[in-house]
Amino acid sequence: MYFISFSLKKPVVYTTVLLLVFAVNRITAGTVYSQKAENTFVNLKLNDVSLTEVFKTVEKQTPFTFIYPDEITHLDKKVSVHNGNISVKEIMDLLSKNLGIKYNINNTTISVKAGSVPASNLQQTAIQGSVTDENDIPVPGASITVKGTSQGAVTDFDGNFSIEAAEGQDILVVSYLGYKTREVTASQGIHVRLQEDVTGLDEVVVVGYGSQRRESLTGAVNTVNTENVTQRPVANLSSGMQGLSPGLNIGKNSGRPGDDVKINIRGFTSINGGSPLVLIDGIEGDIRKVNPDDVASISVLKDAGASAIYGARGAFGVILVTTKKAREGVMSVSFNSNIAWSSATTRTDFLTDPYRVAKLVDDSFRRATGNSYTGYTEADYEELRKVAEDPSLARTIVDMRNGKEQYVHYGHTDWWNTFFR
């Protein structure tokens, strides 16, 4: 703690001294934290362990805590430390020198981040190699980079390249448009084969006048992934398509099974309403009646180009469904089953004895108003007692009461189970 005395004559002195106090305190705090790391010792006997294991061991023996990003966790370099009396700062300096990490001590928290391994630790050489496709045809213009750095190179016309990297240590990332990216360990004379990545490029989209490849399509057409539809526990195709195509809205006005669904594309219709045209294997049909497991592809035509093919009927969009067809020499058997059950969120064991129900209602109503709620007589109660013992005696009679005919019900119905089954 520093105590500073000063005069209260000039305001400028206040500011100067106040800033001086802050500066002294900050320098003092940083010095204390650093000294604490220098004066805190650990006993380490670790052999070929990960960097995070070193941190955990230090945390168990000291009040220090480490924080670090995922890239530190993914470091594949192993560390061996055998020292019975080494300070926290010394071990951090040792790790920083050998692994290239950076650290900062703030109070009892040590924040660590990945840095670059010193060039003295990794000897870099000119790695020569070549890149070809699956047919061993050279791939010119392929990109080769050293993983985790900005160092890179490009293959020449014959698919050859040269890049500075640490042999057996660095990872080379090889990529080219239309091919799958590969990661290989740097080695002299390396030969990298790239496989074609046809995902998306060879996707076939069904349109009104046939089918086209995805990369050659210019209209607003979207394909629905049928695997996502079949994985949903739905009873029909229309419900399973909800949320799988941008601009395709599917909704129901009620939750009753079998009710019509409303399908809307782009959100616009005429003042008289409208719905998209649904074609199943080229024939207009009801999308609710299609088994999701029988669908091979679904295409949604959204723009005005659909009207050029289907006329006014395609003004609100078109949904094209293609079902699966048998292939000669190929047999496949699949089984899909969904089981569901439902129950009310709140259940009460209601009283179902007709005699006790009538007596309780009447007794409470008499205490409140002085009158009977049901209007039952003692003879009626006796009949209800018989019905309670034998529900088959339940009936309704017509009796003359107060000078007029009146229905008298002797029932035994569990209304809760009747409604909810």
Side-chain angles (χ1 to χ4, degrees):
M1 177 69 67
Y2 287 82
F3 296 92
I4 300 177
S5 59
F6 51 87
S7 174
L8 302 178
K9 293 182 179 180
K10 296 183 180 180
V12 66
V13 176
Y14 308 160
T15 305
T16 304
V17 175
L18 189 60
L19 292 176
L20 179 60
V21 172
F22 288 158
V24 170
N25 283 339
R26 185 165 184 177
I27 294 173
T28 303
T31 304
V32 170
Y33 302 153
S34 179
Q35 290 177 351
K36 191 171 183 178
E38 292 178 356
N39 298 329
T40 303
F41 294 88
V42 294
N43 184 4
L44 299 179
K45 293 182 179 180
L46 304 174
N47 187 34
D48 198 25
V49 298
S50 64
L51 184 60
T52 54
E53 188 65 27
V54 178
F55 295 161
K56 292 178 182 178
T57 305
V58 174
E59 288 178 339
K60 291 179 181 178
Q61 300 183 22
T62 70
F64 287 93
T65 303
F66 289 86
I67 57 175
Y68 43 85
D70 289 339
E71 55 185 335
I72 294 294
T73 307
H74 296 155
L75 286 177
D76 57 355
K77 295 180 174 59
K78 301 296 182 179
V79 180
S80 296
V81 182
H82 296 273
N83 198 315
N85 190 22
I86 185 172
S87 69
V88 174
K89 189 173 188 310
E90 287 176 338
I91 188 63
M92 292 308 301
D93 290 340
L94 183 63
L95 295 175
S96 176
K97 178 181 178 181
N98 293 335
L99 301 182
I101 63 172
K102 297 180 181 179
Y103 73 94
N104 180 53
I105 303 176
N106 184 9
N107 202 351
T108 57
T109 301
I110 302 178
S111 57
V112 182
K113 64 179 181 178
S116 57
V117 179
S120 58
N121 295 341
L122 293 179
Q123 184 177 2
Q124 293 189 341
T125 58
I127 300 297
Q128 309 287 339
S130 61
V131 179
T132 64
D133 62 10
E134 295 176 300
N135 300 319
D136 286 334
I137 299 177
V139 178
S143 174
I144 297 93
T145 59
V146 179
K147 188 175 182 179
T149 70
S150 58
Q151 191 170 348
V154 179
T155 56
D156 58 17
F157 183 79
D158 296 323
N160 299 320
F161 68 90
S162 176
I163 188 171
E164 292 289 331
E167 186 174 359
Q169 297 289 335
D170 285 333
I171 302 297
L172 302 182
V173 180
V174 184
S175 60
Y176 189 70
L177 181 63
Y179 292 85
K180 294 181 180 179
T181 301
R182 285 197 59 188
E183 294 186 1
V184 294
T185 304
S187 61
Q188 201 62 248
I190 187 172
H191 179 205
V192 182
R193 274 193 184 88
L194 296 181
Q195 294 181 347
E196 289 187 8
D197 186 5
V198 296
T199 304
L201 291 178
D202 288 340
E203 183 179 357
V204 176
V205 179
V206 179
V207 293
Y209 38 83
S211 60
Q212 292 185 0
R213 287 171 55 136
R214 163 66 68 182
E215 72 272 19
S216 62
L217 187 65
T218 58
V221 180
N222 180 256
T223 56
V224 178
N225 190 337
T226 55
E227 292 184 0
N228 293 335
V229 176
T230 55
Q231 290 175 359
R232 294 182 171 184
V234 293
N236 55 68
L237 181 60
S238 57
S239 300
M241 292 172 56
Q242 176 65 46
L244 297 182
S245 176
L248 177 63
N249 302 309
I250 299 175
K252 294 181 67 174
N253 291 331
S254 71
R256 289 179 297 183
D259 276 6
D260 291 339
V261 295
K262 289 189 176 181
I263 304 177
N264 179 273
I265 298 177
R266 302 191 311 273
F268 294 100
T269 59
S270 69
I271 58 175
N272 297 320
S275 60
L277 174 64
V278 179
L279 296 178
I280 304 170
D281 290 332
I283 301 174
E284 186 174 1
D286 187 352
I287 196 172
R288 296 176 304 160
K289 297 180 180 180
V290 179
N291 183 359
D293 290 323
D294 293 339
V295 176
S297 66
I298 304 173
S299 298
V300 182
L301 282 63
K302 304 178 182 180
D303 61 1
S307 298
I309 307 169
Y310 300 103
R313 188 62 184 88
F316 304 116
V318 180
I319 299 177
L320 303 174
V321 180
T322 303
T323 59
K324 297 177 182 178
K325 296 177 177 58
R327 290 182 295 172
E328 184 178 357
V330 178
M331 182 184 72
S332 62
V333 179
S334 61
F335 174 78
N336 185 20
S337 175
N338 291 310
I339 301 175
W341 64 90
S342 62
S343 62
T345 55
T346 302
R347 179 171 180 174
T348 305
D349 293 331
F350 292 106
L351 186 63
T352 58
D353 187 318
Y355 174 77
R356 294 182 61 190
V357 170
K359 289 290 287 182
L360 286 173
V361 171
D362 279 345
D363 288 346
S364 62
F365 201 75
R366 284 194 186 97
R367 287 186 174 89
T369 64
N371 300 317
S372 170
Y373 180 82
T374 64
Y376 284 153
T377 64
E378 290 300 326
D380 293 330
Y381 286 134
E382 185 61 28
E383 291 296 324
L384 283 174
R385 190 192 300 274
K386 295 178 182 180
V387 172
E389 297 174 354
D390 185 3
S392 65
L393 299 178
R395 65 196 186 281
T396 301
I397 65 172
V398 180
D399 193 17
M400 291 294 298
R401 299 190 179 184
N402 299 323
K404 60 180 180 179
E405 291 184 345
Q406 182 175 334
Y407 287 97
V408 183
H409 181 64
Y410 304 127
H412 194 295
T413 304
D414 187 345
W415 290 108
W416 178 270
N417 290 332
T418 298
F419 279 118
F420 291 102
R421 293 189 297 279

